Amino acid sequence: WRCISRLDYGTKYCKDSPTIEEEKIQNAVVAAINTMLDGKEKIKSLLNGSIAEILMAPDVEKEILGLNDTIRLKNEEIVEIIKKGVENREDRATISEKCKEKHDEVSKLQEQLNSATARRQMENSHTGQLREIYDAIDQIPGKFTEYNDDITRVMVSKVKILSAEKAEITLLNSVTLTM
């Protein structure tokens, strides 16, 4: 294996890039997976703790429901101001002035709602990713004695060659080991 920049542009962009035999990379991947599996229970425990922490965070759903209710009430107040203004034959400028404060409040509440919704989406995303990692680790049997393409595609997120003797291998987008 060689750096693609070295192949495309020569040593101009990638001066010190070594050529690595595939078997060496495969052995490093097997060693990295086995190293991770040595700490499998500890990693699963940490993942469970992270999932629990996200799930125990302040209830964003309640916040979202409360904000939606408050926005609805403020909008009803705006409708009531307009209704009374028309009944009292107030001019448009007076009605608009009375509504402006409520509109400003609704705008601020809408910003809070958008923020809470974004937090909820992020929490859901993180929880899902952590559960996928947990499940992937949990389904791996014992140690590996030989390279397996299918397992590598599931487990290995990235391999970065540091030198002819060292590679940085990222597993499941979360554990990075130097082999």
Side-chain angles (χ1 to χ4, degrees), residues 76-88:
E76 287 173 4
E77 289 174 18
I78 291 170
V79 169
E80 195 60 34
I81 290 170
I82 294 169
K83 207 175 183 182
K84 285 184 179 179
V86 169
E87 287 173 3
N88 296 336

Side-chain angles (χ1 to χ4, degrees), residues 74 77-78 81 98-106:
K74 295 290 179 189
E77 289 174 18
I78 291 170
I81 290 170
K98 288 180 180 178
C99 290
K100 185 183 180 327
E101 184 181 325
K102 298 293 179 191
H103 281 296
D104 291 345
E105 289 175 21
V106 169

